[in-house]
């Protein structure tokens, strides 16, 4: 059954590229919802609780990615969250996993890299 | 590793992976002067912490437009000005983020700013240009610069 995905990134082109890459990777996506920051991400999660996977950037205005992850977990939402970001140092990965993220994909990425990192969530 | 070498590797990888471009780093002797009347688009991210400075990507408008058409999967020339600015900002964010990941210490990356126009210079008080690497794509040049507080 196709899974709905929430993509949270302040760059419109990145949201489009992530959505396109998910489909190119052959992942069984249903609807892809797009939010421009953590605030929009939380709002979309409220209106679409059926979202089965969340992909989030780190650096965003209004509410950044790590705050977004903490807010989602504080609401008791256990939907898997994978960060897609340039913030790839070991300490940053450890920080965001401690906050409740389930995985990590570095930009730049290929559809194959997304398939490898995200395939287990579909 | 010198900043030029780091930037050359990072930029080549990002543009190949995200835009499908094969870009060539140029040496100073290969640089062809650009027409100052041409419109350029620049993205800038600042890095703060143990290392302080910024990374700037400057593209002629036609290359910036082509990158946006490709990244948004649009027909040639179809990207809007906003989509072009978004693309240049995101490319700058990726270049700056990957550069930051190779720096020592604890550092933070800003959200990208984008400017567009003719005959402008991007500068910041106290920052010095420590790297200016030009690239060639399809017969056109673009530049990535690194400014650092020294």
């Amino acid at each position: 059954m196709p899974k709905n995905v929430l993509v949270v990134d302040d760059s419109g082109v990145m949201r489009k590229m992530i959505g396109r890459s998910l489909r190119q990777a052959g992942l069984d996506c249903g609807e892809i919802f797009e939010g421009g920051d953590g605030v929009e991400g939380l709002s979309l999660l409220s209106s679409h609780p059926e979202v089965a996977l969340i992909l989030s950037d780190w650096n965003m205005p209004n509410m950044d990615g790590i705050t977004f992850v903490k807010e989602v977990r504080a609401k008791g939402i256990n939907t898997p969250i994978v960060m897609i970001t340039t913030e790839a140092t070991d300490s940053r990965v450890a920080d965001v996993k401690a906050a409740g993220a389930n995985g990590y994909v570095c930009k730049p990425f290929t559809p194959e890299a997304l398939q490898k990192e995200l395939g287990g969530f579909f | 590793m010198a900043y030029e070498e780091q930037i050359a590797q990072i930029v080549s990888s990002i543009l190949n992976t995200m835009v499908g471009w094969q870009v060539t780093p140029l040496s100073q002797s290969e640089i062809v002067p650009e027409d100052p009347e041409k419109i350029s688009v620049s993205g800038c991210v600042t890095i703060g912490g143990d290392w302080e400075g910024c990374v700037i990507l400057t593209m002629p408008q036609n290359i910036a437009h082509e990158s946006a058409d490709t990244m948004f999967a649009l027909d040639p020339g179809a990207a809007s000005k906003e989509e072009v600015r978004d693309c240049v900002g995101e490319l700058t964010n990726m270049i700056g983020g990957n550069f930051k990941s190779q720096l020592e210490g604890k550092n933070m990356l800003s959200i990208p700013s984008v400017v567009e126009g003719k005959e402008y210079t991007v500068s910041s008080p106290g920052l010095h240009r420590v790297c200016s690497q030009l690239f060639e794509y399809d017969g056109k040049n673009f530049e990535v610069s690194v400014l650092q507080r020294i």
Side-chain angles (χ1 to χ4, degrees):
Chain A
M1 183 178 173
K3 291 192 171 180
N4 291 347
V5 178
L6 170 62
V7 179
V8 184
D9 196 306
D10 57 326
S11 167
V13 71
M14 192 47 60
R15 296 195 300 270
K16 295 285 180 237
M17 290 191 82
I18 291 169
R20 203 163 63 232
S21 297
L22 289 173
R23 298 193 193 284
Q24 283 174 355
L27 298 169
D28 193 12
C29 296
E31 197 159 353
I32 297 175
F33 303 103
E34 296 182 22
D37 57 36
V39 175
E40 286 186 20
L42 288 174
S43 173
L44 283 163
L45 265 185
S46 297
S47 50
H48 299 285
E50 75 281 10
V51 162
L53 176 64
I54 302 166
L55 306 176
S56 178
D57 188 18
W58 186 307
N59 258 352
M60 296 183 288
N62 302 321
M63 182 188 290
D64 65 17
I66 194 164
T67 308
F68 171 64
V69 171
K70 288 175 180 172
E71 291 282 332
V72 170
R73 296 299 182 237
K75 290 176 183 294
I77 299 169
N78 294 317
T79 306
I81 305 174
V82 176
M83 305 301 287
I84 300 185
T85 175
T86 62
E87 304 282 327
T89 57
D90 290 344
S91 64
R92 297 287 266 182
V93 174
D95 286 349
V96 82
K97 286 196 170 174
N102 303 79
Y104 213 87
V105 175
C106 287
K107 296 177 185 172
F109 56 81
T110 59
E112 294 73 26
L114 285 189
Q115 209 287 333
K116 184 181 172 199
E117 297 297 329
L118 304 180
F121 296 106
F122 284 83
Chain B
M1 189 188 298
Y3 287 145
E4 281 81 3
E5 199 176 338
Q6 284 180 278
I7 289 294
Q9 286 181 3
I10 290 167
V11 171
S12 298
S13 168
I14 288 171
L15 286 171
N16 185 27
T17 306
M18 304 307 285
V19 199
W21 289 358
Q22 296 290 338
V23 302
T24 307
L26 297 177
S27 63
Q28 292 295 318
S29 61
E30 295 175 291
I31 295 167
V32 178
E34 291 283 343
D35 177 0
E37 285 298 305
K38 268 189 180 171
I39 296 175
S40 296
V41 187
S42 293
C44 176
V45 286
T46 56
I47 298 170
D50 293 326
W51 190 99
E52 287 190 48
C54 63
V55 178
I56 302 162
L57 166 67
T58 299
M59 289 179 150
Q61 191 187 41
N62 55 351
I63 297 189
H65 216 290
E66 190 176 335
S67 72
D69 290 337
T70 303
M71 291 174 77
F72 274 104
L74 298 169
D75 291 334
S80 67
K81 279 193 169 185
E82 187 180 343
E83 288 168 333
V84 172
R85 286 194 290 267
D86 184 11
C87 269
V88 172
E90 185 55 30
L91 289 171
T92 310
N93 178 53
M94 281 188 276
I95 295 166
N98 279 268
F99 177 74
K100 180 183 93 73
S101 296
Q102 297 182 15
L103 295 170
E104 297 286 334
K106 193 171 174 66
N107 298 295
M108 301 292 286
L109 184 73
S110 77
I111 290 165
S113 304
V114 180
V115 295
E116 183 177 353
K118 287 190 281 189
E119 291 190 89
Y120 61 84
T121 304
V122 180
S123 63
S124 182
L127 298 187
H128 301 270
R129 191 171 299 256
V130 292
C131 166
S132 181
Q133 178 63 56
L134 273 101
F135 297 85
E136 184 268 336
Y137 167 70
D138 197 23
K140 298 174 279 279
N141 296 351
F142 65 93
E143 181 183 30
V144 175
S145 304
V146 178
L147 278 60
Q148 183 182 9
R149 187 176 304 283
I150 299 174

